[in-house]
Each structure stands twice: as C-alpha cells, then as structure tokens.
Amino acid sequence: MKIKKLYINTIGCQMNVYDSEQIAERLHRIGYVTETRVEEADLVIINTCSIREKAEQKAFSFLGRLAKMKRDKPRLIVGVCGCVAQQEGQKIIERMPHIDFVLGTQAIDRLPAAIERIEKHPCRIVDVDMSQVIQESADISAPPKPHEVSRFVTIMRGCDNFCTYCVVPYVRGREMSRDPEKIISEIKSLVVNGIREITLLGQNVNSYGQKQDLCDFPTLLKQINDIDGLFRLRFTTSHPKDLSDDLIDTFQSVEKLCYHIHLPVQSGSNDVLARMNRRYTREKYLEKVIRLRETCPEIAITSDIIVGFPGETRADFEQTKALIERVEFDSLFAFIYSDRPSAPSGRFKGKVTEKEKKQRLQEVFDLQAHITQKIHSGMKGTVQEVLVEGYSKKQVDENRSRAPEAVQWTGRTTGNKIVNFVQGDSCIDKSVEVGKMVHVRIEKTFPHSLWGSVVTCDPGHSLAKGEESYAA
Ligand code: SAM
Ligand code: SF4
C-alpha cells in the first residue's frame, strides 16, 4: 500500500499546536504519516488562527501558494481547519477553487471521515457545525516523539468572556471544560511515555469546571500534581478577573507547579479596560500582582498588551507604560490592535493611526527590553533548576563531535526562562540527559536567554519548593 503523506502548517497559539497534534493523530489512524516537506505531501492541511489580522493574512497567503501545487498534482488534497475555517466557512471554498475541505474548530473528530470521502470520490466539504459538546475519543493524545519532554494539554475550549476586541467566543464557541478524569488519563499516558512537563491550556483556566459543576481548577492542579513521574506543571491563560486567592495559594501548595503566571493585562488605563470589557481595573490587577508576589516571591509574571485600541489616547497609553514599569513583567507579548470580524470594537470610534500604533508598540518593546535586561542581570550568579529539553539550537549539528563536558544543552527555569548551558566538569560521574533536572549556575545573560554551567546533575535531587534559586 502506498504511504500517504500529511503536511500540516500550524499558525497561531499553543492551542492550535495542540489541535494540530490531535489532527495528526487522527489521520495517522487512517494511514497517513507526517511529512515535513510540503512538496512531498498527498494531503496538506493549514490549521489557521484569526485572532489578529496578520495571522489571517498569513493563512491566505499560504493557501494561495498551494494553487500551483494542486495544478501540478491534481490528486493532492488541500484543507483548511481552525479559526479562519470556522469564521469564513463556505466563503473559502467559493473564493479558492483548489481547496477540498474547510473544517471548523469543533469538527476535528469528523476529519478522518471527510478525508476518506474525498479520497474515494473527489468532492468539496464544508463542516463548521459547533456542536457544543467536546468530543472525547479514547486514547486521544499522540505518543511523544523520542526525546520530547514537554507537552500542552487542552483542558477547556471556547470562551464566555466576550472581550470586545476578541474573535475567540465566535470562532471557538462557548466555554466548555473537559472531564478531569479524561485529562488525568491523557497526562498519565504522556508521562508513561517520557513527558516530564505539562502545560494546561485554556482561554481562561481560572474558570475551569465551574459551568459544568466539575472540580475547580486548584483541585485539578492538585490531582495532576499526584501523577508519578511528572516533574513540572504549568498553565496558561489566566484571566485577571478570575484569579482567586485559592489559585494564588497553589503556587505554594502544589509542589510541581512552576513559578510562572501569564496574566494578560491588555491595558493600564481603566477607560480602555472598561471599553475592552475586561471587568477589572488597573488597581485590582495590581492587587493580584502583590498577592502573587507575597505568596511566591520568585514568581515570574508575563503579560499581553494591546496598543492602539479604538479611543486609546496618549494619556491612556502612558498609563499602560506606567503599569509595565510598576509591575516589571519578566516578558511581554505586545500586539497592534486590529479590527476582527464579529468583534464589537470594530465599530468603536476613535481609530488610532497605523503610524501611531507602530510607535506605541516600539515604545512598549523598548521599555520591556530594559526591564527584562534588569531582571536577567539580577539572575547572574544564581543557581537555577532546569529541565533539560535537548541540545541548544545553534549547537544541534556541532554537538555530535563535542566532548561531553563541552556539549551545549538547553532547558527552562521554573520561571520559563530559556537557559543554554554546558555540563562542565562538575558532575563527571553522571551526565546531562534530556528529561533530567539539573542545577545550572547562571554566568551570562542575554535579552531572551541565560547562559551557564551545570553544578549538579543528580536527577533524584530536587530543591524544596521556595529555594529553587539561590545566590552563589
Ligand atoms: N484568553 C486570553 C486572555 O484573556 O488574555 C488571550 C487569548 S488571545 C488568543 C491572545 C492575545 O491576543 C490576547 O491576550 C490579546 O492581547 C491579543 N488579541 C486578541 N484580539 C486582538 C485584536 N483584535 N487585536 C490585537 N490583539 C489581539
Ligand atoms: Fe478573548 Fe477575552 Fe476570551 Fe481571552 S478572555 S479568549 S481575550 S474573549
């Protein structure tokens, strides 16, 4: 039987990365193998994102390039999944004659049947039905690849918050949490197969379980913490309005939970926050930051900022900068506001010019670069616990010929900072390996990473909570 090759292009957030893994797993079951070269593929799928205009443009430009491939190879099957598929549906098929199928965000389980139909009798399919029920197939997660240590697991889908700039509630549907038992069995099977770090995904993990009367999020974290063989647990994203004291306390009580929270603030101006429908004020946000730091002084806090929201004045923007300076985020994702189909803010008055938006974005980047540099410099000389993920990027090929003590490795701290490091000569009897915990002394710092040498590489030795970093 001819091997059928699948190429997936994933655009967007970690949730899309998770969905692409789900798509691949389902298609492996009907005989497809994953291919990394698009020109070799029999089936090309683009898993799209429509959160910002730029991501959507990227998706359409890739789809446009596939038209020639389809002319040269008529049996090629081309499909669109994800948020743009959900948003545009039938219009994509009408606009692009080379597309065979468009499947929405809640149709992943129906994908294999759609492909088999097209393979048997070439036809064009649009399925953007939002069933409201999360399909839970047995054995849902794809087995980890060799040397993979970290995985995302989606615990909820959709969103009920309706921030006025955001397309998610329209393209991903209402918030639905997955059954905790299914989540735990998925994580257990990943851990048995070598995964050591799990990041739980949801648009607002803080409200996990509430709508369907399942367990709450802190309880879910505690249950996952008990899984043997799991070293680290992370989650994203937290909506500030729902960040409860109970959840903040888990940074002390849940041993495997990493000291990092992504807490998108979006703006430092109360006027803008109200028009965004974020349902917190800058004062409330700052209170949560203080509570987090009182509970866990080492916690790394990262955030999202939107610049140029309709009606954002220079004074509003200055308040955002003042908040960034006050909190001193570890890092930031800053975005230029774009109108999105269905999102109400598209109709708001007071549009900010593109030139001004770019200027504000640059100011945020410059300010944050300065803060990150200060935080990184303060880490020089500390010892950090690092989960080894693999060879450092620049060294992948060179490493084969290096002596063990000179091989360059990469991993992350509990605060999610990238550390590149060498084994050095401090642990001659034991060696660094992917999936092990090591302690690294930070010797140099860079804007986006840290550099150091291993001081302990004993996988059994883990520092107690609260003393994972100490000055040398
Ligand atoms: N659920 C998360 C939350 O509430 O913060 C974020 C989800 S969204 C996928 C990721 C980020 O994209 C948002 O935090 C926001 O900063 C940005 N974003 C969303 N819609 C946007 C828009 N229309 N223009 C620019 N940035 C946008
Ligand atoms: Fe979008 Fe707001 Fe929901 Fe986040 S919380 S996904 S920004 S609507």
Side-chain angles (χ1 to χ4, degrees):
M1 194 175 80
K2 180 183 177 295
I3 296 173
K4 299 183 289 184
K5 294 179 181 170
L6 161 71
Y7 177 90
I8 306 186
N9 180 356
T10 308
I11 297 179
C13 63
Q14 295 132 333
M15 207 163 268
N16 270 15
V17 173
Y18 179 84
D19 285 349
S20 288
E21 281 164 7
Q22 301 289 305
I23 288 171
E25 180 54 14
R26 280 160 178 74
L27 296 180
H28 291 163
R29 291 180 198 172
I30 61 161
Y32 281 88
V33 293
T34 302
E35 167 63 55
T36 52
R37 290 156 302 176
V38 63
E39 58 285 358
E40 295 295 318
D42 302 294
L43 166 59
V44 178
I45 295 180
I46 176 161
N47 190 13
T48 57
C49 169
S50 62
I51 198 84
R52 286 170 293 276
E53 200 177 4
K54 231 177 171 179
E56 193 176 323
Q57 284 165 354
K58 208 166 147 191
F60 279 113
S61 127
F62 177 78
L63 283 173
R65 292 201 299 277
L66 291 178
K68 182 177 179 316
M69 247 183 94
K70 178 90 175 184
R71 275 198 300 276
D72 297 345
K73 204 171 162 184
R75 296 302 302 264
L76 176 72
I77 301 175
V78 180
V80 189
C81 293
C83 298
V84 176
Q86 190 66 49
Q87 184 183 286
E88 301 295 315
Q90 181 71 27
K91 281 191 250 166
I92 300 179
I93 291 272
E94 285 162 11
R95 184 174 148 188
M96 303 187 128
H98 61 288
I99 306 297
D100 298 289
F101 66 89
V102 176
L103 259 79
T105 51
Q106 295 187 8
I108 292 179
D109 271 341
R110 301 189 286 275
L111 179 61
I115 304 282
E116 284 177 328
R117 237 176 93 194
I118 297 169
E119 283 174 345
K120 277 193 200 115
H121 305 287
C123 60
R124 304 178 82 200
I125 298 173
V126 178
D127 177 355
V128 287
D129 180 35
M130 293 180 107
S131 63
Q132 287 296 303
V133 177
I134 293 181
Q135 305 289 332
E136 291 269 19
S137 342
D139 188 25
I140 203 161
S141 57
K145 298 176 199 86
H147 304 305
E148 201 180 354
V149 291
S150 203
R151 262 291 175 91
F152 301 120
V153 170
T154 290
I155 61 166
M156 57 208 293
R157 292 179 182 274
C159 184
D160 287 348
N161 285 314
F162 292 93
C163 301
T164 54
Y165 51 80
C166 185
V167 79
V168 168
Y170 308 98
V171 294
R172 294 235 168 220
R174 296 300 93 83
E175 181 186 293
M176 293 293 284
S177 298
R178 289 180 62 200
D179 181 343
E181 281 174 24
K182 299 267 170 48
I183 296 169
I184 287 167
S185 79
E186 179 172 351
I187 296 176
K188 278 185 178 163
S189 89
L190 288 168
V191 170
V192 163
N193 287 298
I195 293 297
R196 295 286 164 257
E197 179 182 80
I198 292 289
T199 304
L200 305 175
L201 295 179
Q203 295 299 348
N204 178 19
V205 291
N206 307 2
S207 62
Y208 172 82
Q210 285 169 17
K211 210 165 134 184
Q212 291 130 283
D213 215 12
L214 304 170
C215 68
D216 64 9
F217 188 52
T219 308
L220 180 71
L221 288 175
K222 284 173 196 144
Q223 289 175 2
I224 297 171
N225 188 62
D226 290 341
I227 297 175
D228 282 341
L230 180 71
F231 291 177
R232 281 180 164 182
L233 185 54
R234 299 181 187 276
F235 59 79
T236 192
T237 296
S238 286
H239 193 305
K241 79 175 164 57
D242 295 321
L243 179 62
S244 65
D245 283 352
D246 274 0
L247 183 54
I248 293 177
D249 289 341
T250 60
F251 285 104
Q252 269 300 333
S253 60
V254 175
E255 196 200 339
K256 294 172 186 171
L257 187 61
C258 288
Y259 292 160
H260 171 223
I261 188 164
H262 186 64
L263 196 63
V265 66
Q266 312 298 358
S267 170
S269 151
N270 283 339
D271 280 355
V272 174
L273 287 172
R275 276 182 293 114
M276 285 177 163
N277 191 30
R278 289 292 284 178
R279 287 176 279 168
Y280 54 83
T281 58
R282 67 179 278 135
E283 292 75 22
K284 282 271 170 246
Y285 185 90
L286 290 168
E287 268 172 34
K288 308 252 174 178
V289 168
I290 291 170
R291 260 288 278 140
L292 279 163
R293 288 189 170 143
E294 277 168 3
T295 310
C296 179
E298 307 89 341
I299 198 160
I301 305 180
T302 57
S303 198
D304 291 350
I305 298 278
I306 296 178
V307 298
F309 186 76
E312 183 190 67
T313 61
R314 195 13 90 169
D316 290 321
F317 177 63
E318 290 300 331
Q319 288 190 43
T320 299
K321 288 205 312 185
L323 182 134
I324 295 171
E325 274 177 312
R326 173 102 169 258
V327 177
E328 297 199 320
F329 292 109
D330 284 74
S331 70
L332 270 183
F333 295 96
F335 307 107
I336 283 187
Y337 168 82
S338 54
D339 289 339
R340 303 310 300 129
S342 328
S345 61
R347 298 185 298 276
F348 290 5
K349 295 207 168 63
K351 297 278 188 258
V352 179
T353 64
E354 287 307 309
K355 188 172 168 225
E356 182 60 23
K357 285 194 228 173
K358 282 188 187 144
Q359 167 68 27
R360 291 181 192 180
L361 185 73
Q362 193 56 48
E363 286 179 43
V364 170
F365 284 157
D366 292 346
L367 176 59
Q368 186 55 45
H370 175 72
I371 295 168
T372 304
Q373 188 194 22
K374 188 173 136 195
I375 293 173
H376 285 187
S377 301
M379 293 177 78
K380 215 165 160 182
T382 63
V383 173
Q384 300 288 324
E385 194 170 63
V386 174
L387 174 63
V388 185
E389 290 176 12
Y391 291 147
S392 94
K393 243 187 204 163
K394 287 186 189 151
Q395 301 294 322
V396 171
D397 295 325
E398 287 174 44
N399 274 341
R400 295 200 181 98
S401 54
R402 284 175 180 241
E405 60 278 11
V407 169
Q408 295 185 13
W409 299 90
T410 193
R412 277 166 203 267
T413 65
T414 180
N416 211 27
K417 294 185 190 300
I418 295 170
V419 184
N420 296 308
F421 58 95
V422 286
Q423 177 169 319
D425 50 15
S426 56
C427 42
I428 311 145
D429 52 333
K430 294 203 170 71
S431 53
V432 174
E433 274 174 36
V434 171
K436 276 187 181 176
M437 288 289 211
V438 294
H439 294 139
V440 176
R441 176 169 289 110
I442 305 303
E443 291 158 2
K444 284 190 240 169
T445 64
F446 300 98
H448 302 290
S449 64
L450 308 168
W451 168 267
S453 318
V454 173
V455 288
T456 333
C457 56
D458 180 350
H461 176 64
S462 184
L463 294 170
K465 197 95 168 145
E467 54 164 330
E468 95 295 353
S469 143
Y470 51 89

